[in-house]
Amino acid sequence: MLSSALNRAARSGRVRRVVERVPVTRRVVDRFVAGEEIADVVLAGEYLRRQGRSVTIDVLGEDVTDAAGAAATTAAYLALLTALAEQNCAEGADVSLKLSALGQALPGSGDELAESNARVICEAATAVGATVTLDMEDHTTVDSTLAIGAKLRVEFPLTGSVLQANLRRSERDLADLAGPGTRIRWVKGAYREPRDVAYQQKTEVDDAYRRGIRSLMESGGYPMIATHDPAMLGHAVRAAAETGRSAGDWEAQMLYGVSTDRQRELVEQGRRLRVYVPFGTDWYGYFMRRLAERPANVAFFLRALARG
């Protein structure tokens, strides 16, 4: 119930205006978002790199409704990649793109515009030794996002894709996608979806997530297991060992500001770990989905509010 309400709030302009006016919100957001400027996220990336963690960086924003907004998002990614290269932090880094922020939702030519903008970013990333991963959004965008990813991989084979375990179709998509070397981020899913396209019970999603981990480890793809659930991480470690994967043949991924102690433990164990680092001023939708995913995040927010 709480998760559903928070996911609805993520799309509500009225709730957004209320949340953004609460003075303490900024302090709480700083836990999950690495600042508003490129310089902020570069510093965060440098720190994480010194700690033995890789990064994937997200320029916050989604649901762009005009070509100018899509161009601005593209320019922000290009500036980010340039800044990372100037600080010698680009090699091995990744950037995560939401195609809705690159024009996907525009009527008529949205797919073509998003693909064109993503291609420009892929070219810039390749030039500095970085990679690109296409984030997955709600179920209505899956076909478009997977199709654009397939086209980009022809020229940029390391372009990653994200699949969500809560969608009933995702295990089939995973089997279709997991070819040799394909980078696949496997997540549980942060969007509230209709019953006919998505599992509704946590146990169903967990079961699907475990099956997907096993399928990825058995595949020729490169698994990126995105979870903070210790049980799922343990399952991934066992599945990797049972399928003969070394520590360098897959990676765990976690969110910036979440489970930081566990992140350190994984690095100390010799695991590959990549941190999803968002930055920018358009943080509201991302922030609300982080609250929706974990009750502990809501409790953290409420405690901060109580402290004023």
Side-chain angles (χ1 to χ4, degrees), residues 12-264:
S12 169
R14 182 177 63 83
V15 176
R16 175 174 185 153
R17 288 188 291 274
V18 171
V19 170
E20 289 181 337
R21 282 200 298 267
V22 178
V24 76
T25 298
R26 182 70 255 176
R27 190 166 76 242
V28 180
V29 169
D30 287 343
R31 171 177 173 168
F32 303 111
V33 177
E36 296 188 349
E37 306 297 333
I38 287 176
D40 299 326
V41 76
V42 170
L43 283 174
E46 288 178 329
Y47 171 78
L48 291 168
R49 186 168 179 162
R50 289 195 300 271
Q51 301 297 314
R53 303 171 225 184
S54 302
V55 297
T56 182
I57 300 175
D58 174 22
V59 178
L60 288 172
E62 52 195 89
D63 298 329
V64 167
T65 56
D66 56 60
T73 301
T74 303
Y77 274 104
L78 299 180
L80 167 64
L81 289 163
T82 297
L84 290 171
E86 289 173 347
Q87 296 299 317
N88 297 314
C89 295
E91 187 73 34
D94 183 75
V95 294
S96 286
L97 312 183
K98 283 184 172 57
L99 293 179
S100 69
L102 300 181
Q104 186 182 41
L106 271 64
S109 60
D111 282 3
E112 291 80 3
L113 179 61
E115 180 188 340
S116 175
N117 286 330
R119 186 176 300 279
V120 170
I121 296 168
C122 286
E123 290 170 349
T126 300
V128 299
T131 54
V132 170
T133 299
L134 304 183
D135 274 339
M136 191 62 74
E137 302 178 70
D138 71 76
H139 76 279
T140 64
T141 68
V142 174
D143 286 330
S144 167
T145 301
L146 290 178
I148 290 172
K151 291 177 182 177
L152 291 173
R153 270 188 293 276
V154 173
E155 187 174 352
F156 309 101
L158 293 180
T159 302
S161 288
V162 179
L163 293 173
Q164 302 171 108
N166 67 328
L167 295 183
R168 298 178 186 275
R169 61 173 287 171
S170 288
E171 289 178 77
R172 183 176 66 253
D173 290 332
L174 192 157
D176 293 340
L177 190 61
T182 304
R183 299 170 59 250
I184 300 175
R185 180 190 298 153
W186 185 233
V187 305
K188 287 187 178 180
Y191 295 85
R192 188 66 178 174
E193 303 282 14
R195 183 177 299 275
D196 60 330
V197 300
Y199 301 116
Q200 303 297 302
Q201 302 300 316
K202 181 181 184 300
T203 53
E204 294 179 300
V205 177
D206 285 350
D207 288 345
Y209 195 78
R210 277 189 289 267
R211 292 193 299 271
I213 288 174
R214 170 61 66 167
S215 295
L216 268 172
M217 294 299 183
E218 292 176 346
S219 76
Y222 178 76
M224 301 184 290
I225 307 301
T227 182
H228 294 267
D229 186 335
M232 295 301 174
L233 286 168
H235 183 72
V237 169
R238 290 190 297 273
E242 290 165 4
T243 55
R245 286 185 179 267
S246 70
D249 288 337
W250 68 284
E251 67 186 47
Q253 294 193 355
M254 292 187 173
L255 298 170
Y256 180 78
V258 182
S259 304
T260 53
D261 289 342
R262 182 58 176 157
Q263 290 184 25
R264 280 193 296 271

